[in-house]
């Protein structure tokens, strides 16, 4: 045993027991390192100081995951950064890359066809559901609820397969491109989508029975990790975490983009500000995403064979590629597009991802590469909540609060 180092849960012995090292920093205070571990806190650790098992101070350390995303985006042309930026949120690929595409479209002065807008909106909502289900699965692990983990991960596959049918890829689709979308829906897609919607609505009722209304889970979440509305605004947190504290802000309505102005949906807002309210916001968002998917599919069915790329992009296609686009609904990315130049200027693109508002600042000097790319992701804005919400809670409240915040480490470190 090393003198001055105490191990919570037992002393370190010759058998190599798993331990949590800590050091005494003041009288009756100990410093403990939580994480990093995966699955769990991902690539982030939290340094806490405790008095007994009461957290006195918390310091989140975001770690290093996808470094230099912004600088890499400045040396790879205008199209190649799209699959790169997807890695920040993986299962929320369309939502995380769409604001970049919107910014580039502003610089180019192009407007995607309405059908492309509906297609991109459709995939964004499919991804939003998948991202929330992923968050619920990890939340289940945090709370020792293995059934929730297995159910949510299994149900997420339904929407991964739906996205794959639309884009040809399971997770990172590289689907939105400046001026449109890469593929149209296949003939059997509307039926697949409607079956997925019906299935998920029934499953949400099951989730309520085993998880949301489970007295053990509710006791872990209700009144825990409360973020008052004023504090949420001062910290600048976004997405479901802000809406769980009574802040009625959603980029899809405040700064509408793509097909959202044409679609009827609501933004769920709860006033309690605790871990349970944040969880309910995400459940209600899934319900609203299902509504959006239904409306998008219905519109796409009623407006077949409309263009999915704008005239600028279509004009660069040789006859053979135009034939493929019109016959199969696939927009090939040509070398001329990959090496395109964008007029000089500056633009902001923003979108509502599964975890909240993500903003891109894109600047062009008229060359084949972006001159500047800067990204502010939702998790980068939400991570500050750990510092101010954890103190006053017990150590075993950390998993409940962490899971309710749905923080995703790769998204914060760009």
């Amino acid at each position: 045993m090393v003198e001055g180092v105490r191990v919570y849960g037992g002393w370190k012995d010759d058998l190599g027991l798993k331990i949590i090292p800590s050091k005494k920093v003041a009288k009756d205070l100990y410093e403990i390192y939580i994480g990093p571990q995966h699955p769990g806190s991902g690539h982030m650790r939290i340094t806490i100081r405790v008095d007994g098992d009461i957290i006195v101070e918390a310091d989140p350390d975001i770690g290093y995951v996808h470094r230099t995303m912004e600088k890499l985006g400045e040396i790879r042309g205008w199209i190649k950064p799209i699959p790169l930026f997807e890695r920040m949120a993986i299962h929320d690929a369309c939502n995380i890359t769409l604001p970049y595409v919107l910014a580039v479209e502003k610089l180019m002065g192009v407007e995607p066809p309405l059908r492309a807008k509906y297609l991109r909106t459709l995939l964004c909502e499919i991804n939003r559901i998948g991202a929330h289900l992923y968050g619920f699965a990890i939340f289940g692990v945090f709370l020792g609820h293995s059934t929730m983990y297995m159910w949510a991960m299994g149900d997420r596959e339904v929407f991964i397969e739906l996205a794959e049918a639309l884009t040809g890829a399971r997770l990172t689709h590289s689907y939105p491109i400046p001026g449109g979308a890469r593929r149209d829906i296949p003939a059997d897609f509307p039926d697949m989508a409607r079956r997925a919607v019906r299935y998920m609505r029934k499953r949400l009722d099951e989730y309520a029975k085993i998880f949301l209304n489970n007295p053990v889970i509710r006791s872990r979440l209700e009144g825990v990790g409360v973020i008052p509305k004023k504090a949420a605004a001062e910290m600048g947190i976004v997405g479901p975490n802000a809406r769980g504290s009574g802040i009625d802000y959603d980029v899809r309505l405040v700064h509408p983009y793509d097909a959202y102005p044409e679609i009827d949906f609501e933004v769920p807002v709860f006033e309690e500000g605790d871990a349970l309210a944040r969880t309910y916001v995400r459940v209600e968002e899934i319900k609203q995403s299902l509504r959006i998917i239904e409306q998008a599919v219905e519109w796409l069915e009623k407006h077949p064979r409309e263009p999915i790329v704008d005239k600028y992009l279509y004009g660069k296609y040789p006859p053979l590629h135009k034939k493929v686009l019109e016959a199969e609904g696939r927009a090939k990315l040509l070398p001329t597009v990959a090496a395109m130049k964008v007029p000089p200027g500056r633009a902001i693109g923003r979108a509502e991802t599964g975890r909240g508002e993500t903003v891109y600042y894109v600047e062009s000097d008229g060359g084949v590469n972006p001159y500047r790319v800067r990204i502010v992701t939702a998790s980068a804005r939400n991570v500050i909540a750990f510092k101010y919400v954890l103190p006053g809670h017990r150590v075993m409240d950390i998993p409940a609060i962490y899971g309710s915040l749905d923080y995703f480490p790769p998204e914060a470190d760009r």
Side-chain angles (χ1 to χ4, degrees), residues 258-276:
D258 273 8
Y260 288 110
E262 315 294 328
I263 291 177
D264 179 34
F265 68 100
E266 298 173 1
V267 175
V269 178
F270 287 74
E271 301 291 337
E272 293 81 359
D274 59 3
L276 186 62

Side-chain angles (χ1 to χ4, degrees), residues 124-181:
C124 280
E125 296 310 311
I126 293 172
N127 282 172
R128 192 181 313 279
I129 295 172
H132 284 338
L133 290 176
Y134 177 88
F136 287 146
I138 299 302
F139 202 4
V141 171
F142 282 1
L143 298 178
H145 199 300
S146 58
T147 301
M148 187 62 191
Y149 170 79
M150 292 185 288
W151 280 18
M153 277 297 186
D155 293 339
R156 176 171 164 260
E157 283 295 314
V158 174
F159 294 91
I160 288 177
E161 291 180 5
L162 203 58
E164 184 177 10
L166 175 60
T167 68
R170 277 176 56 83
L171 292 175
T172 49
H173 323 288
S174 301
Y175 187 70
I177 54 176

Side-chain angles (χ1 to χ4, degrees), residues 229-245:
K229 183 176 182 178
K230 182 179 179 182
E234 289 176 348
M235 287 189 287
I237 63 175
V238 293
N241 295 326
R243 293 189 285 275
S245 294

